[in-house]
Amino acid sequence: MNTVDINCDLGESYGVYRMASDEAILPLITSANIACGFHAGDPATMRQTVLQALEHHVAIGAHPGLPDLQGFGRRRMDISPREAYDMVVYQMGALDAFVRSYGGRMHHVKPHGALYNMAAEDDQLAEGIAEAIYKVQPELYLYGLAGSAMKQAADRIGLRSIGEVFADRTYGPDGRLTPRSHPGAVIQKTEQALAQVLRMVKEGIVVSTEGSPVSIKAETICIHGDGAHALVFAQEIRSLLESEGVNLTAPGVAR
């Protein structure tokens, strides 16, 4: 039986700006990546999202990003591996304090947005992030783009890593995500996204924007909590995978 995790980026409200679907999405996913205050999120949102995730028995991960609230962490910044290390350690510590305050334990770390994409391509940046996780909590998983520099860095350090695929993003022939600035980077049609998910999970294949099949290992599927139809999309993905006999669980978590 195929086994896969469904993860979602949550806790990305900030101040008076609210992402309304977080609590409704939690019962549909198996792991949550919670914003740590750099690209989105604030202390009250972090606390509330952690508490809700624990109530729904969803595995909790830190979702560290670049210090860019205005750009939602999706604008690239010229940072060094040491700066990436410091940012990840700082944000992990903030979220972990909330998790521990409710008697929980953190499960994974997944970088956000531009930091994620930069580390998927840059060996040294990826190593800075993997080292940060390993030195703080070596038992955690690193969620990284399947086949990317992040997973390779984790392997070198001895950190457990999970290959992530995206339900609503297109891929180039090199297996990398199409940059959001390019046309067609985000899949708008639900049927197309569902078909892509099923093929990645069942066949280990994604069709690139050029029409070529690309091998991919789908260990966790990301759905975005900030999308206009995030809740419906989460419901449909879960329903599809369950109907296909796929076992849904977070890595290392017994169900």
Side-chain angles (χ1 to χ4, degrees):
M1 178 185 291
N2 292 83
T3 298
V4 73
D5 171 54
I6 301 177
N7 80 76
C8 187
D9 305 339
L10 299 178
E12 292 180 323
S13 299
Y14 182 79
V16 299
Y17 300 99
R18 314 307 299 167
M19 297 290 185
S21 59
D22 279 17
E23 190 171 8
I25 283 177
L26 277 162
L28 303 171
I29 63 176
T30 49
S31 65
N33 322 304
I34 301 178
C36 305
F38 271 35
H39 76 278
D42 55 40
T45 301
M46 290 168 70
R47 173 186 52 76
Q48 182 179 23
T49 310
V50 163
L51 181 57
Q52 292 170 346
L54 289 171
E55 289 173 346
H56 289 286
H57 305 288
V58 171
I60 295 173
H63 196 36
L66 295 173
D68 181 21
L69 284 171
Q70 233 177 348
F72 197 63
R74 287 180 174 160
R75 299 183 293 190
R76 291 187 175 229
M77 297 174 64
D78 185 11
I79 63 170
S80 68
R82 177 54 59 190
E83 287 173 315
Y85 174 97
D86 292 342
M87 289 177 191
V88 171
V89 169
Y90 185 97
Q91 292 176 79
M92 283 178 65
L95 185 71
D96 189 51
F98 282 109
V99 176
R100 288 178 184 270
S101 74
Y102 284 109
R105 298 188 67 178
M106 218 152 67
H107 172 266
H108 67 277
V109 176
K110 174 191 163 181
H112 165 81
L115 181 61
Y116 181 100
N117 292 327
M118 289 157 57
E121 305 165 1
D122 187 316
D123 290 337
Q124 291 185 324
L125 206 58
E127 197 150 312
I129 292 170
E131 183 187 4
I133 300 166
Y134 189 79
K135 286 193 173 179
V136 175
Q137 292 189 53
E139 71 278 10
L140 298 184
Y141 294 94
L142 168 61
Y143 283 19
L145 184 67
S148 71
M150 265 196 290
K151 281 189 58 63
Q152 295 163 11
D155 291 343
R156 288 195 298 272
I157 289 174
L159 181 69
R160 296 183 297 181
S161 64
I162 299 299
E164 181 177 42
V165 298
F166 289 78
D168 61 350
R169 296 290 302 277
T170 59
Y171 287 77
D174 57 359
R176 295 180 180 177
L177 295 175
T178 307
R180 282 183 176 269
S181 57
H182 292 198
V186 178
I187 297 173
Q188 302 294 342
K189 294 182 178 179
T190 301
E191 296 79 9
Q192 181 184 349
L194 292 175
Q196 174 166 289
V197 166
L198 194 58
R199 189 164 190 188
M200 289 190 291
V201 172
K202 302 280 277 190
E203 301 177 34
I205 293 290
V206 65
V207 178
S208 77
T209 50
E210 294 184 2
S212 57
V214 179
S215 295
I216 199 162
K217 188 175 182 181
E219 296 175 292
T220 184
I221 302 165
C222 176
I223 56 177
H224 288 106
D226 61 326
H229 308 290
L231 178 57
V232 172
F233 193 38
Q235 290 169 333
E236 295 198 10
I237 284 182
R238 185 176 183 104
S239 177
L240 171 68
L241 293 175
E242 287 179 333
S243 71
E244 290 288 332
V246 177
N247 183 39
L248 303 177
T249 186
V253 176
R255 287 286 181 181

